[in-house]
Each structure stands twice: as C-alpha cells, then as structure tokens.
Amino acid sequence: MSVLWSSLIAPAGAVLTTLIGVVAGSAISRRTQDRHWVRDQVAASCARVLRESSSVLIDLNEMEAGRPEAVPQGVVIPTTVDWRPWNEALSMVNLVADRNIAEAAHALDEQIWRFHIKIKRGLTREEDWSALRSAVVSAQNHFIVVARGRLSLAGDPLERFSGRPAPDDPIWRS
C-alpha cells in the first residue's frame, strides 16, 4: 500500500511544483511587462513635453514677429498660440511620470507662462528676446536632466543640449 500511495503522491507533488512555478513565473513576467509599459509611457510623455515646448517657442516667436506695428508695446494682444497640445503633454506627464519629472515639467510650464505674458504685451526696448527665451531653454534643459536621470540606463549628465552656437558667438553678428 505504501508503494501505491507514494506512486500517487510523487506525481501530484510534481504537478503542484510545476503549478507554483508557472504562477510565480507568470507574476514576475507580468510585473516586468508593467514596468516596461510604464517606462515607455514616461519616455513618450517626456518626448512630447519637449516637442510641444519647442512648438510653443516657435509660436511665441511668430506671435512677436507678427505683432501689428499699430499696437504699441505694453498693449496686450490676443494670443495666437494653440495651448491644447502643450496642456495635453503636461497632463500626460502628470498622469504617468514620477514626481521629479512632473515638477520639472511644471517649472518649464511656469517659464513658458512668464514668456508668453511678456510676448502678449509686447517686448520693451530693455527686454531681449534671446535672454527671455533662455529662461525657457534653461527649464527645458533641466527637464532633460531630470528625465535622463530616470530614463537613461547610464544616467550620465549631458554637457550640451544642442549644437546651437552660444548667443555671444560671432556667427550671430555676421
């Protein structure tokens, strides 16, 4: 009887061990897939923030360049910027990114707001487009640093963020 009993228990133990292995492997696989999905969503939302903030800068440049000469500086003009894509990009970051990335995006948003308000009222003689724009670019660069810290496997900081010559480079005076 004990031989019969052990011949029945051994396969049941193997089946149980196999089932436990399958369940554990499935849970680990699911967790890994979830992490990859979240990472992909964060990366996509960060890329969108950078793309849309650059689009906003272009729109603000066009808004300032297209300011009617009949409207004196200091008089607020209606905005020509479509804010929906920028606000959607911010919403996605708020939804999927960690706190540090979201806060860096909010700091960028604040600089864009400040810049936009100045463009709406028209730049004064004392205000320099490049200097005002640099606050937004600096916030973009900070956003990149924070996002790279979360997303880059190496996590190493960048020395430069673009190949654009410095504002004081002689190329701009030629």
Side-chain angles (χ1 to χ4, degrees):
M1 178 78 162
S2 69
V3 172
L4 178 62
W5 185 249
S6 64
S7 67
L8 291 174
I9 298 237
V15 168
L16 183 60
T17 302
T18 301
L19 283 174
I20 290 172
V22 167
V23 169
S26 182
I28 290 169
S29 176
R30 171 66 185 202
R31 204 166 111 201
T32 301
Q33 285 179 333
D34 288 349
R35 268 193 253 143
H36 285 298
W37 183 86
V38 168
R39 183 181 170 83
D40 289 346
Q41 294 302 309
V42 171
S45 70
C46 288
R48 190 168 179 193
V49 162
L50 293 170
R51 182 178 58 247
E52 296 305 335
S53 66
S54 293
S55 292
V56 166
L57 277 176
I58 291 168
D59 290 347
L60 291 174
N61 182 37
E62 291 171 355
M63 188 173 161
E64 177 63 16
R67 185 179 184 84
E69 289 184 26
V71 179
Q73 302 292 48
V75 175
V76 175
I77 61 172
T79 189
T80 57
V81 177
D82 178 5
W83 291 105
R84 280 178 300 166
W86 171 244
N87 288 328
E88 289 170 1
L90 282 176
S91 293
M92 280 304 295
V93 163
N94 288 335
L95 183 63
V96 298
D98 66 29
R99 181 180 179 163
N100 292 337
I101 292 174
E103 286 177 356
H106 300 160
L108 174 56
D109 186 41
E110 179 181 347
Q111 292 307 314
I112 288 173
W113 268 95
R114 293 177 182 283
F115 194 36
H116 176 246
I117 289 167
K118 289 179 181 181
I119 297 299
K120 277 180 64 169
R121 68 150 167 75
L123 300 181
T124 64
R125 294 189 211 297
E126 299 80 37
E127 293 173 317
D128 175 39
W129 168 268
S130 295
L132 293 172
R133 179 184 176 279
S134 71
V136 176
V137 171
S138 177
Q140 282 175 322
N141 294 345
H142 176 71
F143 179 80
I144 291 169
V145 168
V146 171
R148 274 182 65 84
R150 168 80 164 85
L151 297 170
S152 171
L153 295 178
D156 54 338
L158 295 175
E159 297 296 319
R160 293 181 68 180
F161 295 94
S162 78
R164 182 186 184 109
D168 60 349
D169 190 290
I171 191 87
W172 301 115
R173 292 186 289 275
S174 348

